[in-house]
Amino acid sequence: MSKLGDYDGPILEIDKLSISFFTRLREIPAVMDFSVRVQPGEAVGLVGESGCGKSTVALGVMQDLGKNGRIVGGTIKFKGRDLAEMSDEELRDIRGNEIAMIYQEPMASLNPAMKIGKQLMEVPMIHEGVDEKEAYARALEVVTDVRLPDPERMLNSFPHQLSGGQQQRIVIAMALMSKPSLLILDEPTTALDVTVEAAVVELVKDLGKKYGTSMLFISHNLGLVLETCDRLCVMYSGEAVERGSIEDVFDNMQHPYTQALFRSIPLPGADKNARPLVAIPGNFPLPHERPNGCNFGPRCDYFEEGRCDAGEIPMVNVQGYERHSTRCLKLEEIDWNAPIVAAEVKEKGEIGKVVLKMDNLKKYYEVAANALFGGGDKKVVKANETLSFEARESETLAIVGESGCGKSTFAKVLMGLETATEGEILLDGKNIEQTSIEDRDTQTVADVQMVFQNPFDTLNPSMTVGRQIMRALEIFKIGNSEADRRNRMLELLDLVKLPREFADRMPRQLSGGQKQRVGIARAFAGGARIVVADEPVSALDVSVQAAVTDLLMEIQREEKTTLLFISHDLSIVRYLSDRVMVMYLGHVVELGTTDQVFSPPYHPYTEALLSAVPIADTSVEKTHIVLEGDIPSAMSPPPGCPFQTRCRWKSEVPGGLCDQEVPPVKTLADGHQVKCHLAEDILAKMEPVIKIAAE
């Protein structure tokens, strides 16, 4: 079928859309009175916390709401035609051919039993009836377009043979096969590393230009939207609350929720002691418990009883701006430029004596070269190479790097879930590197605890919250009686700022942020000396992230805990850590205070990591560095410097040294360590990657 004829109006026009899901008991409104337009060649970002209806809008556009979902009001027009009035056959033609969607989890969109080439070729063969030869040529072209190495080998591979970033690129290539007019991206980079994310975002922008595709980009990451979109629509609890160009919304926000979102993300200049983040008070309303009037009312600083909760609040245009509108009655009365009322300034915790010392720690795994059948030679995976560092009482040491760099392996060895191959780990002067968790005494187990990335997987679904915390207290032999332990459990709930009545709730009754708090309460049950926080906020919404990081900092001040914070989100690292350790392929490539690591001279890898972080601030200028290629495998690391295959500074080192020798650790000013062959005078010439433009 040919594409819908030449059309010069908006590609997508959603007008006063309302979508509800029907259960046996009630109708649950998921999206209400939602309008947005996407012009030809324009990228529009849709931002908001999880549960606000972003993905429901996308599924509405795809007319794929399942048997319980229905559009109960308004229209969705694609190139001027109402999608609701099209026959199933017309819709089938449009989906995948004219409108393509890229989902969050790439593996869910790929057939694991079919080679990549065949999956890509299917698209034009089914939609346009082209022959196999042309389909193959087209597949080769798009795989080259999405910058995958060795395109022919890629087409001949199965999905499981590719890394997450490569799979996501294949999914993007598949969406582009039929040159759609509209591309819907639903959190397309959530599961990817920040360097891969930067490359994918760059790619999406370039392809948008090349193919003239319009985009609807769904994300909760404001920095990412700033880098990819022309316009922005902020959603809260099923409604659009603010719409406008990126500059209008970022620099001249006109809705209290947009303002609250920006206060809860760690932009440059935020500081955990002097300028703490401000979390949004209260909780996100459930769809069937929305308040009267303004949905954001109960959490808003400017709420006025009898006015904000009196009736429906319409979207209104902001005076003096084109296409900038907001859903706020007090638009004219609020001083939007008033400085943030500072949260209380916190005392900086006094950093004490060394609690944990690692010396030349190595962790190697032996795996069969032929992993499938166990035959063949053994290969060694060098997950950690000569790690050395110290961590002190009350200190936050951040460990950053892409997935596969050895961060979690090192955490496992520290926890006793694995034992070290070589080297030492000293906890209060006592060696623990060879003692597995079963053989550790209760005190050591209580001293080193972990908060995990995904709060959903770490709680027992059939046990109440209180019982789970009390169980930890029993194991740590705390309290002489059940009543003692119950009291201590209630104190721990106070510590993580959860209401005491949560003790009798089941995990399924809690939100993600609340579950993560239970995980933190459990980790601190035995008075932990060291807490390893493995990406503890990456699964949470931005507004909840602020509250959880703040909570970790507060407990640390009270309990003098040493916090090892594993993360790939450098904005949060900058905000809360005292020292930073950057890892790449098992090696520590840079170690220093947060200020040292975030300003030049950098290790070339740190420089690329900083450049990749999306920052939601229009006054920030970044040097643009996209790392080519994926992280090499730890089974066959490159010779010499582990980073040399992706390093942009390699030509500055004479004599091919980078290919031959692992660099020595250089100590620069004040104990700042960098593992690099670059001469100190070249390091000293490095420019800052992140510059804040003068006002």
Side-chain angles (χ1 to χ4, degrees):
M1 168 190 163
S2 65
K3 306 248 170 175
L4 290 181
D6 290 334
Y7 176 74
D8 55 4
I11 294 288
L12 180 70
E13 192 170 10
I14 300 178
D15 191 36
K16 295 191 168 35
L17 176 71
S18 295
I19 296 175
S20 290
F21 288 90
F22 292 85
T23 66
R24 283 199 308 270
L25 300 175
R26 57 167 87 87
E27 172 187 346
I28 297 176
V31 174
M32 293 93 64
D33 182 31
F34 178 83
S35 304
V36 75
R37 280 180 173 188
V38 185
Q39 300 292 351
E42 186 174 61
V44 175
L46 203 51
V47 187
E49 297 172 82
S50 42
C52 72
K54 308 185 295 288
S55 298
T56 307
V57 169
L59 293 171
V61 174
M62 297 300 278
Q63 297 285 307
D64 180 21
L65 290 165
K67 57 179 187 296
N68 296 340
R70 276 214 295 281
I71 294 178
V72 291
T75 56
I76 304 175
K77 288 184 176 166
F78 175 69
K79 294 190 174 177
R81 287 190 57 193
D82 189 339
L83 290 171
E85 291 170 3
M86 293 191 184
S87 67
D88 286 351
E89 200 173 322
E90 284 181 296
L91 280 172
R92 257 200 309 274
D93 253 336
I94 280 185
R95 276 190 216 123
N97 187 21
E98 292 248 19
I99 306 178
M101 184 155 172
I102 295 169
Y103 295 89
Q104 189 166 349
E105 192 39 73
M107 253 333 246
S109 314
L110 294 171
N111 180 340
M114 203 172 174
K115 287 189 175 170
I116 299 286
K118 207 164 163 64
Q119 298 191 49
L120 289 172
M121 285 158 65
E122 268 190 349
V123 181
M125 285 165 78
I126 290 170
H127 282 293
E128 298 166 49
V130 305
D131 64 15
E132 213 165 307
K133 194 172 166 198
E134 191 186 329
Y136 183 80
R138 249 184 80 206
L140 204 55
E141 183 193 355
V142 286
V143 171
T144 314
D145 274 349
V146 295
R147 306 205 189 108
L148 278 167
D150 198 350
E152 286 176 347
R153 186 176 64 86
M154 285 290 158
L155 293 180
N156 209 21
S157 304
F158 286 100
H160 69 268
Q161 293 170 307
L162 311 186
S163 70
Q166 290 173 336
Q167 288 171 1
Q168 192 59 293
R169 284 163 189 240
I170 290 294
V171 173
I172 293 172
M174 198 183 287
L176 291 168
M177 276 303 281
S178 58
K179 304 194 170 55
S181 314
L182 176 68
L183 190 55
I184 301 174
L185 302 109
D186 190 357
E187 301 268 12
T189 58
T190 314
L192 305 178
D193 272 312
V194 42
T195 48
V196 182
E197 175 179 85
V200 168
V201 164
E202 182 73 5
L203 169 76
V204 167
K205 280 193 333 211
D206 288 355
L207 294 170
K209 288 194 193 91
K210 175 174 175 179
Y211 290 106
T213 312
S214 306
M215 286 190 268
L216 188 61
F217 195 97
I218 297 174
S219 179
H220 62 256
N221 182 333
L222 287 156
L224 212 52
V225 168
L226 168 70
E227 294 190 359
T228 42
C229 298
D230 310 302
R231 295 176 54 73
L232 170 66
C233 174
V234 182
M235 278 186 89
Y236 180 78
S237 188
E239 296 179 322
V241 292
E242 183 163 12
R243 278 195 307 263
S245 71
I246 293 285
E247 286 73 20
D248 287 351
V249 178
F250 276 56
D251 299 339
N252 186 33
M253 52 195 81
Q254 302 282 313
H255 194 281
Y257 174 60
T258 316
Q259 197 178 42
L261 261 187
F262 275 89
R263 286 179 187 171
S264 64
I265 54 179
L267 296 173
D271 174 293
K272 65 179 173 184
N273 298 310
R275 269 201 45 206
L277 301 179
V278 184
I280 304 177
N283 284 321
F284 197 78
L286 292 168
H288 55 281
E289 294 173 357
R290 291 194 176 103
N292 291 330
C294 175
N295 281 341
F296 188 58
R299 305 174 73 186
C300 178
D301 295 343
Y302 309 105
F303 179 74
E304 189 181 318
E305 209 169 328
R307 184 175 166 200
C308 296
D309 53 4
E312 291 297 310
I313 295 174
M315 280 295 259
V316 290
N317 289 326
V318 179
Q319 295 267 304
Y321 288 89
E322 192 195 353
R323 294 174 72 196
H324 185 182
S325 47
T326 177
R327 195 182 291 273
C328 181
L329 291 176
K330 306 183 82 172
L331 168 69
E332 306 291 331
E333 300 153 44
I334 296 172
D335 176 2
W336 296 103
N337 297 320
I340 296 177
V341 179
E344 54 187 300
V345 172
K346 305 284 186 2
E347 278 298 304
K348 186 172 180 346
E350 197 51 53
I351 290 181
K353 59 182 196 327
V354 172
V355 178
L356 178 72
K357 183 173 164 53
M358 284 210 180
D359 200 21
N360 283 334
L361 179 82
K362 292 184 181 180
K363 175 64 187 168
Y364 293 174
Y365 292 99
E366 271 203 353
V367 292
N370 185 341
L372 200 55
F373 304 109
D377 305 334
K378 289 260 191 265
K379 271 200 166 178
V380 174
V381 175
K382 298 181 175 182
N384 287 155
E385 269 287 15
T386 56
L387 284 182
S388 299
F389 70 88
E390 293 176 345
R392 297 173 182 80
E393 189 175 82
S394 288
E395 178 177 56
T396 304
L397 172 70
I399 298 151
V400 295
E402 296 166 278
S403 35
C405 72
K407 309 186 293 278
S408 298
T409 301
F410 137 77
K412 284 179 187 160
V413 176
L414 178 59
M415 295 288 299
L417 299 170
E418 300 275 2
T419 52
T421 308
E422 251 180 61
E424 291 188 305
I425 302 179
L426 297 165
L427 175 64
D428 290 326
K430 192 172 83 183
N431 285 67
I432 57 167
E433 69 283 340
Q434 291 302 334
T435 322
S436 70
I437 198 154
E438 296 85 1
D439 304 328
R440 290 189 178 181
D441 57 54
T442 308
Q443 192 52 50
T444 308
V445 174
D447 277 348
V448 185
Q449 282 292 303
M450 192 155 181
V451 177
F452 295 90
Q453 179 168 4
N454 200 337
F456 311 98
D457 298 342
T458 51
L459 297 179
N460 180 337
S462 58
M463 226 189 238
T464 63
V465 164
R467 189 71 233 131
Q468 308 208 28
I469 298 175
M470 284 166 71
R471 188 135 190 281
L473 293 169
E474 279 166 27
I475 291 168
F476 300 145
K477 300 186 172 58
I478 288 171
N480 300 322
S481 65
E482 191 73 359
D484 268 4
R485 283 194 275 271
R486 186 160 179 86
N487 280 335
R488 175 73 185 130
M489 179 269 293
L490 292 170
E491 284 168 11
L492 282 161
L493 286 179
D494 296 343
L495 181 73
V496 296
K497 296 189 169 56
L498 282 175
R500 287 186 163 199
E501 53 269 25
F502 273 40
D504 303 318
R505 290 202 181 173
M506 300 303 268
R508 66 170 185 276
Q509 296 168 293
L510 273 56
S511 70
Q514 290 165 341
K515 284 183 188 161
Q516 195 57 295
R517 285 164 188 250
V518 176
I520 293 171
R522 206 172 45 181
F524 281 95
R529 307 280 316 279
I530 296 173
V531 170
V532 182
D534 188 0
E535 303 264 13
V537 292
S538 64
L540 306 176
D541 274 315
V542 269
S543 55
V544 184
Q545 275 184 8
V548 172
T549 44
D550 212 36
L551 173 72
L552 275 171
M553 298 288 94
E554 207 165 301
I555 297 176
Q556 181 183 40
R557 284 185 196 97
E558 282 174 30
E559 310 271 329
K560 297 197 171 358
T561 321
T562 305
L563 194 61
L564 299 182
F565 193 86
I566 298 177
S567 180
H568 64 255
D569 180 345
L570 287 166
S571 319
I572 282 190
V573 164
R574 182 176 203 159
Y575 169 67
L576 58 76
S577 60
D578 302 304
R579 288 194 308 138
V580 180
M581 175 162 109
V582 183
M583 288 185 71
Y584 184 81
L585 214 59
H587 292 259
V588 175
V589 294
E590 184 159 5
L591 178 62
T593 64
T594 307
D595 289 344
Q596 287 169 341
V597 172
F598 277 80
S599 50
Y602 312 104
H603 184 280
Y605 176 56
T606 312
E607 179 190 48
L609 268 186
L610 288 171
S611 146
V613 178
I615 298 174
D617 187 338
T618 51
S619 65
V620 167
E621 287 175 31
K622 286 196 318 187
T623 309
H624 206 67
I625 304 162
V626 170
L627 285 183
E628 296 299 324
D630 287 311
I631 302 190
S633 155
M635 261 165 111
S636 50
C641 170
F643 187 59
Q644 51 105 344
T645 54
R646 301 165 82 193
C647 179
R648 71 184 195 127
W649 290 87
K650 189 173 161 184
S651 56
E652 299 285 343
V653 177
L657 198 58
C658 298
D659 299 331
Q660 293 150 15
E661 284 177 35
V662 174
V665 175
K666 283 195 172 85
T667 303
L668 309 171
D670 302 325
H672 178 194
Q673 298 179 3
V674 173
K675 199 176 206 175
C676 185
H677 284 305
L678 283 173
E680 290 197 21
D681 59 328
I682 293 174
L683 283 170
K685 282 187 207 145
M686 282 190 169
E687 297 276 310
V689 176
I690 297 169
K691 298 189 195 75
I692 297 176
E695 287 301 313

